Amino acid sequence: MITIALSKGRIFEETLPLLNAAGITALEDPESSRKLILPTNRADVRLIIVRASDVPTYVQYGAADIGVAGKDVLNEHGGIGLYQPLDLNIARCRMMVAVRDDFDYESAVRQGARLRVATKYVQTARDHFAAKGVHVDLIKLYGSMELAPLVGLSDAIVDLVSSGGTLKANHLKAVEHIADISSRLVVNQAALKLKHAAIRPMLDAFAKACRPG
Ligand code: ATP
Ligand code: MG
């Protein structure tokens, strides 16, 4: 049995065509089904539906053989035990620093001010500001980071931005680009060896079907 871990929403939607290209069709839609284990047209392949940030953990421990996870999530997780053979170039966005549109970020940084930064991506934020030599107090949040600067919880946020529409609607501006983000295929290293005959053709089919960067 090959178990593939996916999260609902954009990753599931954008992974479906790649699965189809590998001859794998989901028999149920996770958005309407309450099931967490979804059968496919192939008796030896099943999908499991987990939180986006939990995908690397399921694959690391071998509870899933393969998964699809954003680079944002992989940076936070650290990637231990994971083979990352392929950038699928789906769910593309950017990791950015953003502040209120009336906040003078440049001069705060120039003056060596200690910045309060709210984010779900604590590891990414820590690495980014340490590399710049900017002192920060990190505040861990689990969602809706855009709210934090508006109510005085933080000076800045580190978050994913695609169109910038959410920032604009909340009177925020992006001031620094940290990284380009897309979703990667992750494979359990032991499974790759033990189930090579089943996994290798899938990886090849995904590689052929995905959009080049
Ligand atoms: P949850 O909603 O369960 O708390 P989440 O917010 O991390 O988790 P999604 O919003 O579905 O889940 O994001 C899943 C992945 O999609 C992220 O890890 C990231 O790689 C990517 N992603 C997030 N936001 C965007 C975006 N605005 N545009 C493109 N890709 C994005
Ligand atoms: Mg979300």
Side-chain angles (χ1 to χ4, degrees):
M1 175 65 75
I2 302 294
T3 302
I4 304 177
L6 299 173
S7 53
K8 279 194 215 183
R10 58 170 69 83
I11 287 188
F12 188 85
E13 283 155 25
E14 296 188 44
T15 302
L16 270 190
L18 301 174
L19 288 175
N20 289 341
I24 300 164
T25 315
L27 297 183
E28 274 177 70
D29 175 2
E31 304 298 339
S32 54
S33 171
R34 286 163 187 262
K35 283 192 195 159
L36 299 174
I37 302 179
L38 303 181
T40 71
N41 63 317
R42 276 179 52 175
D44 64 332
V45 180
R46 62 180 181 175
L47 310 179
I48 62 171
I49 304 302
V50 304
R51 281 292 283 270
S53 45
D54 290 334
V55 168
T57 308
Y58 277 86
V59 177
Q60 172 190 358
Y61 289 99
D65 302 297
I66 297 175
V68 175
K71 190 80 177 78
D72 52 325
V73 162
L74 290 167
N75 285 342
E76 292 296 306
H77 172 271
I80 323 123
L82 302 178
Y83 173 53
Q84 297 183 32
L86 194 59
D87 184 348
L88 298 173
N89 278 308
I90 59 171
R92 293 174 69 150
C93 52
R94 287 160 297 150
M95 187 68 76
M96 306 285 284
V97 181
V99 297
R100 274 168 65 136
D101 58 16
D102 59 0
F103 184 79
D104 190 348
Y105 178 75
E106 298 303 325
S107 73
V109 167
R110 221 181 305 116
Q111 289 162 18
R114 200 174 175 92
L115 290 177
R116 292 217 296 180
V117 179
T119 187
K120 180 160 125 180
Y121 304 103
V122 170
Q123 197 54 50
T124 300
R126 185 179 293 121
D127 294 346
H128 173 71
F129 290 107
K132 281 177 59 91
V134 173
H135 293 287
V136 292
D137 291 318
L138 294 172
I139 300 170
K140 167 80 183 181
L141 290 178
Y142 292 88
S144 302
M145 271 79 85
E146 296 86 0
L147 181 61
L150 304 180
V151 294
L153 179 63
S154 72
D155 303 304
I157 60 173
V158 167
D159 197 7
L160 296 174
V161 178
S162 46
S163 69
T166 306
L167 292 183
K168 209 163 177 197
N170 290 292
H171 307 287
L172 301 172
K173 62 183 175 189
V175 288
E176 253 164 24
H177 173 261
I178 299 178
D180 288 323
I181 300 293
S182 55
S183 286
R184 318 287 164 111
L185 204 64
V186 293
V187 183
N188 178 276
Q189 286 173 351
L192 183 62
K193 293 200 190 89
L194 296 170
K195 303 183 185 178
H196 193 265
I199 291 178
R200 192 71 248 173
M202 284 185 201
L203 301 190
D204 293 341
F206 293 148
K208 221 189 265 175
C210 73
R211 203 156 29 111

